[in-house]
Amino acid sequence: MEGLVYKSTGSWYTVKDVATGQFYECRIKGKFRLKGIKNTNPIAVGDRVLFRLEESNRGVITEIKERDNYIIRKSVNLSKQTHIIASNINLAFLVVTLNNPPNSTTFIDRFLVTAEAYGIKTVLLFNKVDTYTEDELTEVKYLASIYRKAGYECIGISATTGKNIDKVKATMEGKTCVVSGHSGAGKSTLINAIAPNLHLKTAEISQQHQQGQHTTTFAEMFDLPFGARIIDTPGIKGFGMVEIEKEELTDYFPEFFALKHQCKFNNCLHTDEPQCAVKAALDRDEIAWSRYKSYLQILKGEESVYREGEGE
Ligand code: ZN
């Protein structure tokens, strides 16, 4: 039987039979791992698996299919093991606000780089558009124009009033999605606007965080009535960590990547090299300075892209 993992509690997995839509509690027998991944959990939410039934509603997972992508969290100890939070994600939403809380372009760019490295498409949601002044709206539109030029879809929304929530839903159709954003950016309000009956854990978890409590939670996937899936990742901040080689970084800035082959040197890092197409585009204002600045920061390792504690 072919299944999709919706929930993991460590030793038991909730698996949906893709043929019938029926859910089963499954466990794994023995050890099985995917090549090249040193992780603490063999099965993650979003995994496509094969399973067989042992009792009427309980089963055993016998095989895991190759993942299209996955997001990880590094364990805090020195074992260098990683925890796979979720897999096979088609779309990430990053909820951003101008000033409540303030979201820097550096924060946005770091998120986008990590998502690109994971191979996950991102849509930027500029939330709270109903609360901005004329000047602030102009600024939001300018920000959106930077990211549209870089190749990202941007939608101005209000999770509170419901503005453009239908557009968000339309982009989700048929996809498995995750929602990220700074605490206070309106992530849980958005999820509630998209799926009022889910009552995800996101909100209560972030409150617990503020109280300094240590909570271990598990990701969980939900079917939405309009043919999409959402993976709730309570208590998980940002997109975890990835290691990126300097030479690879251009690949994760789509508008740089498009020009890369026009640089004189094929290993151009777009810093001091002569006849660099990226810097030429920057001079012509075709690439935003804020994007180039973020690129340099990440390149020089001034600030880690991958820092935990950014957003949730
Ligand atoms: Zn270059």
Side-chain angles (χ1 to χ4, degrees), residues 52-63:
R52 61 178 157 78
L53 292 184
E54 288 204 317
E55 298 161 53
S56 61
N57 61 343
R58 298 207 155 171
V60 175
I61 296 170
T62 53
E63 198 182 315

Side-chain angles (χ1 to χ4, degrees), residues 70-144:
Y70 52 88
I71 56 177
I72 57 166
R73 182 171 47 177
K74 275 213 168 122
S75 61
V76 279
N77 59 32
L78 295 172
S79 65
K80 288 191 179 164
Q81 284 204 321
T82 53
H83 180 83
I84 300 184
I85 297 162
S87 71
N88 300 323
I89 299 156
N90 305 120
L91 186 65
F93 290 111
L94 182 62
V95 186
V96 290
T97 50
L98 202 59
N99 45 20
N100 183 27
N103 284 178
S104 64
T105 49
T106 337
F107 161 72
I108 299 172
D109 294 335
R110 277 196 230 117
F111 182 91
L112 293 176
V113 164
T114 317
E116 293 284 343
Y118 278 131
I120 301 169
K121 194 187 157 204
T122 304
V123 171
L124 294 177
L125 302 180
F126 291 87
N127 193 17
K128 306 190 184 180
V129 288
D130 57 314
T131 66
Y132 295 137
T133 64
E134 284 289 304
D135 284 355
E136 288 168 336
L137 272 180
T138 309
E139 207 177 322
V140 169
K141 281 178 186 158
Y142 172 68
L143 261 184

Side-chain angles (χ1 to χ4, degrees), residues 129-179:
V129 288
D130 57 314
T131 66
Y132 295 137
T133 64
E134 284 289 304
D135 284 355
E136 288 168 336
L137 272 180
T138 309
E139 207 177 322
V140 169
K141 281 178 186 158
Y142 172 68
L143 261 184
S145 76
I146 289 178
Y147 290 100
R148 285 201 184 103
K149 225 157 64 175
Y152 294 98
E153 187 178 349
C154 300
I155 309 175
I157 63 161
S158 168
T160 317
T161 68
K163 187 185 161 76
N164 284 339
I165 295 303
D166 51 338
K167 277 193 192 167
V168 176
K169 284 177 163 180
T171 58
M172 295 175 75
E173 269 176 39
K175 300 191 179 88
T176 300
C177 314
V178 291
V179 182

Side-chain angles (χ1 to χ4, degrees), residues 23-297:
F23 285 94
Y24 298 97
E25 291 301 308
C26 295
R27 59 204 168 86
I28 51 171
K29 261 189 183 162
K31 277 189 177 177
F32 57 94
R33 289 173 183 279
L34 288 184
K35 262 187 285 175
I37 306 172
K38 203 178 168 194
N39 59 301
T40 51
N41 55 329
I43 304 278
V45 168
D47 277 348
R48 295 180 291 253
V49 296
L50 294 181
F51 70 106
R52 61 178 157 78
L53 292 184
E54 288 204 317
E55 298 161 53
S56 61
N57 61 343
R58 298 207 155 171
V60 175
I61 296 170
T62 53
E63 198 182 315
I64 165 173
K65 301 207 174 160
E66 207 178 324
R67 298 176 175 120
D68 295 337
N69 58 37
Y70 52 88
I71 56 177
I72 57 166
R73 182 171 47 177
K74 275 213 168 122
S75 61
V76 279
N77 59 32
L78 295 172
S79 65
K80 288 191 179 164
Q81 284 204 321
T82 53
H83 180 83
I84 300 184
I85 297 162
S87 71
N88 300 323
I89 299 156
N90 305 120
L91 186 65
F93 290 111
L94 182 62
V95 186
V96 290
T97 50
L98 202 59
N99 45 20
N100 183 27
N103 284 178
S104 64
T105 49
T106 337
F107 161 72
I108 299 172
D109 294 335
R110 277 196 230 117
F111 182 91
L112 293 176
V113 164
T114 317
E116 293 284 343
Y118 278 131
I120 301 169
K121 194 187 157 204
T122 304
V123 171
L124 294 177
L125 302 180
F126 291 87
N127 193 17
K128 306 190 184 180
V129 288
D130 57 314
T131 66
Y132 295 137
T133 64
E134 284 289 304
D135 284 355
E136 288 168 336
L137 272 180
T138 309
E139 207 177 322
V140 169
K141 281 178 186 158
Y142 172 68
L143 261 184
S145 76
I146 289 178
Y147 290 100
R148 285 201 184 103
K149 225 157 64 175
Y152 294 98
E153 187 178 349
C154 300
I155 309 175
I157 63 161
S158 168
T160 317
T161 68
K163 187 185 161 76
N164 284 339
I165 295 303
D166 51 338
K167 277 193 192 167
V168 176
K169 284 177 163 180
T171 58
M172 295 175 75
E173 269 176 39
K175 300 191 179 88
T176 300
C177 314
V178 291
V179 182
S180 296
H182 269 306
S183 167
K187 176 180 149 179
S188 39
T189 319
L190 170 70
I191 294 174
N192 285 331
I194 292 168
N197 300 319
L198 276 188
H199 304 299
L200 299 190
K201 292 171 236 157
T202 311
E204 51 190 282
I205 295 297
S206 59
Q207 269 172 7
Q208 282 174 343
H209 261 261
Q210 280 165 4
Q211 289 162 11
Q213 286 180 12
H214 219 75
T215 44
T216 309
T217 48
F218 294 96
E220 187 169 355
M221 186 156 71
F222 299 90
D223 285 324
L224 301 179
F226 50 93
R229 284 185 288 264
I230 193 163
I231 298 181
D232 186 29
T233 54
I236 288 164
K237 306 197 167 197
F239 249 176
M241 321 220 286
V242 269
E243 271 148 40
I244 296 170
E245 298 292 326
K246 277 184 174 11
E247 293 73 23
E248 284 184 273
L249 186 57
T250 305
D251 301 358
Y252 306 135
F253 281 78
E255 75 274 43
F256 293 22
F257 180 70
L259 295 168
K260 183 176 147 176
H261 64 282
Q262 293 173 29
C263 293
K264 184 178 180 182
F265 299 104
N266 59 15
N267 59 351
C268 186
L269 292 176
H270 328 300
T271 51
D272 305 316
E273 298 90 341
Q275 293 173 48
C276 167
V278 170
K279 284 179 75 183
L282 190 66
D283 286 339
R284 291 192 307 265
D285 269 341
E286 288 166 18
I287 280 178
W289 269 101
S290 64
R291 294 277 291 163
Y292 186 66
K293 225 174 76 187
S294 294
Y295 169 83
L296 288 184
Q297 274 188 7

